[in-house]
């Protein structure tokens, strides 16, 4: 492991995609450099910032001030917070606002917000005038370590999560770790699930480091920058090798097949944040791996124990309104999982574990063992 970064040392992580390569700039206070970096990247550019109401209260004016200081004109598009904006209606609203702002092909859309804003603004940029470049300025931990990197953009369908979208890489990512200080504890914990995911799927040493240092990450110490940079390096490496998710990149979906089904079952509401769904999904994936004899029960318990210590839900019974129709029904959850993007010709694909730190892609998983496993988990007492 590399030594943790100091607060005074911003770090650049490159996503190596040839002539579409871009930097992830990580550090406290780097939002102030947004205008300078955009001006250097695209002289004479015009921008439009897409953000949500909550983020706008804290970070819209600082972002606009940074752009203005570099002589960059901008307009603002403010959407509602949460998955409610990642819909057909939300996409229409943002797209029409970008057209009204006269954002042209050589201009930039700036996504200032968490994963919802990044996905929505990125998808709108991808289809606007058949493709306008965009900059990610992630303001949640989850977005900084996962959704802002790699070019996945999209919206939800009533039938499932992220079923409409496009691969559209940003040209720059600005991850200011100071903005995370304004997150609620629950939002921060939800993002931490994606940090832990990188250790569980491919780096046991990092996972071990997280077990020791997760409290400092929460407090905002230097471990926070280190965890974010390590996570971004891991994702950047995978994306550079498999941009379109034809192979290795699918590993980044550890916990997501279960998690996305749970999000759909709860109506993409604040009953279950995305990262919380991933935490439960990772736990289920580890336990299912143990059920199949791929790992030992102790390793599955190690994953669950760390997520619990980080304050995350790990059991289906931890979800608000667990007993509501659709959530406590194994067949309903199987139907939702059948809409997962990794399904091929109706066959389920899961990301499972051979060890903590070594995930594998398991294709053509038979549904009966999965259904029986879910029935057992659903039958556990709260």
């Amino acid at each position: 492991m590399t030594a943790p970064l100091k607060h005074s040392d911003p770090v650049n992580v490159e996503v190596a995609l040839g002539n579409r390569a871009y930097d992830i700039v990580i550090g406290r206070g780097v939002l102030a450099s947004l205008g300078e970096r955009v001006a250097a990247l695209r002289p004479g550019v015009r921008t439009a910032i897409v953000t949500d109401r909550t983020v706008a209260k804290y970070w819209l004016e600082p972002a606009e001030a940074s752009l203005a200081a570099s002589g960059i004109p901008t307009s603002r598009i403010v959407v509602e917070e949460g998955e409610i904006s990642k819909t057909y209606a939300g996409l229409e609203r943002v797209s029409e606002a970008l057209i009204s702002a006269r954002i042209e092909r050589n201009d930039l859309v700036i996504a200032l917000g968490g994963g919802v804003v990044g996905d929505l603004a990125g998808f709108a940029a991808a289809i606007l005038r058949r493709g306008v470049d965009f900059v990610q300025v992630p303001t949640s931990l989850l977005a900084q370590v996962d959704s802002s990197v790699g070019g996945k953009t999209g919206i939800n369908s009533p039938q499932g999560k992220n079923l409409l979208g496009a691969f559209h890489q940003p040209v720059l990512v600005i991850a200011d770790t100071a903005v995370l200080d304004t997150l609620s504890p629950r939002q921060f914990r939800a993002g931490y699930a994606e940090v832990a995911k990188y250790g569980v799927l491919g780096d046991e040493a990092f996972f071990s480091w997280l077990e020791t240092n997760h409290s400092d990450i929460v407090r905002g110490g230097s471990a926070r920058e280190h965890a974010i940079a390590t996570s971004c390096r891991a994702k950047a490496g995978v994306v550079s090798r498999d941009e379109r998710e034809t192979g290795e990149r699918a590993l980044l979906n550890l916990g997501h097949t279960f998690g996305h089904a749970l999000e759909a079952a709860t109506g993409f509401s604040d009953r279950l944040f995305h990262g919380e769904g991933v935490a439960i999904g990772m736990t289920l994936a580890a336990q299912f791996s143990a059920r199949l004899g791929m790992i030992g029960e102790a390793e599955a318990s190690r994953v669950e124990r760390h997520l619990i210590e980080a304050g995350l839900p790990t059991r289906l019974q931890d979800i608000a309104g667990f007993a509501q129709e659709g959530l406590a029904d194994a067949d309903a959850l199987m139907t939702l999982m059948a809409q997962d993007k990794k399904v091929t010709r109706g066959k389920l694909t899961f990301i499972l574990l051979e060890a903590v730190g070594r995930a594998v892609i398991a294709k053509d998983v038979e549904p009966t063992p999965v259904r029986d496993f879910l029935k057992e988990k659903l039958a556990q007492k709260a």
Side-chain angles (χ1 to χ4, degrees), residues 42-117:
R42 294 288 172 83
V45 76
R46 184 166 49 201
T47 64
I49 298 174
V50 181
T51 190
D52 69 45
R53 294 191 186 282
T54 299
V55 173
K57 289 190 294 186
Y58 296 103
W59 305 113
L60 180 54
E61 289 186 2
E64 289 174 331
S66 178
L67 293 166
S70 292
I72 299 170
T74 192
S75 54
R76 56 169 68 176
I77 301 166
V78 181
V79 302
E80 295 300 324
E81 184 180 10
E83 297 283 339
I84 191 173
S85 289
K86 267 183 64 173
T87 60
Y88 290 105
L91 178 64
E92 178 182 16
R93 180 172 176 232
V94 171
S95 299
E96 291 297 330
L98 290 170
I99 294 170
S100 296
R102 300 188 182 278
I103 296 300
E104 300 174 354
R105 281 188 176 180
N106 59 340
D107 292 327
L108 287 175
V109 175
I110 297 176
L112 175 69
V116 167
V117 166

Side-chain angles (χ1 to χ4, degrees), residues 128-157:
L128 177 66
R129 306 188 194 280
R130 297 193 174 91
V132 171
D133 285 338
F134 81 117
V135 172
Q136 287 270 25
V137 186
T139 60
S140 70
L141 178 60
L142 188 147
Q144 291 191 0
V145 301
D146 189 67
S147 60
S148 69
V149 179
K152 282 187 178 180
T153 70
I155 60 172
N156 301 328
S157 159

Side-chain angles (χ1 to χ4, degrees), residues 122-296:
F123 189 27
I127 61 177
L128 177 66
R129 306 188 194 280
R130 297 193 174 91
V132 171
D133 285 338
F134 81 117
V135 172
Q136 287 270 25
V137 186
T139 60
S140 70
L141 178 60
L142 188 147
Q144 291 191 0
V145 301
D146 189 67
S147 60
S148 69
V149 179
K152 282 187 178 180
T153 70
I155 60 172
N156 301 328
S157 159
Q159 300 183 65
K161 177 98 170 178
N162 295 332
L163 292 180
L164 301 130
F167 285 98
H168 189 54
Q169 298 291 344
V171 295
L172 176 67
V173 180
I174 301 290
D176 188 334
T177 59
V179 308
L180 305 181
D181 295 339
T182 60
L183 296 179
S184 71
R186 184 185 174 196
Q187 288 172 319
F188 192 91
R189 289 193 300 267
Y192 181 81
E194 294 281 4
V195 176
K197 179 192 76 176
Y198 290 106
V200 175
L201 73 87
D203 190 342
E204 192 278 335
F206 181 48
F207 187 74
S208 180
W209 181 85
L210 290 172
E211 289 176 307
T212 302
N213 293 280
H214 72 274
S215 295
D216 191 46
I217 296 169
V218 172
R219 288 194 300 267
S222 58
R224 180 180 290 184
E225 281 87 351
H226 179 62
I228 292 170
T230 302
S231 300
C232 287
R233 287 191 190 99
K235 183 159 190 181
V238 171
V239 169
S240 66
R241 294 187 295 270
D242 180 22
E243 181 182 3
R244 297 278 175 157
E245 201 172 303
T246 58
E248 178 188 5
R249 187 168 178 177
L251 294 172
L252 298 176
N253 291 309
L254 175 65
H256 286 61
T257 300
F258 289 116
H260 282 170
L262 296 173
E263 285 185 84
T266 53
F268 303 114
S269 69
D270 60 6
R271 287 172 57 198
L272 185 72
F273 288 171
H274 172 69
E276 294 170 335
V278 169
I280 297 171
M282 267 197 293
T283 303
L284 292 173
Q287 292 170 341
F288 189 57
S289 299
R291 171 69 58 86
L292 297 178
M294 297 173 63
I295 63 172

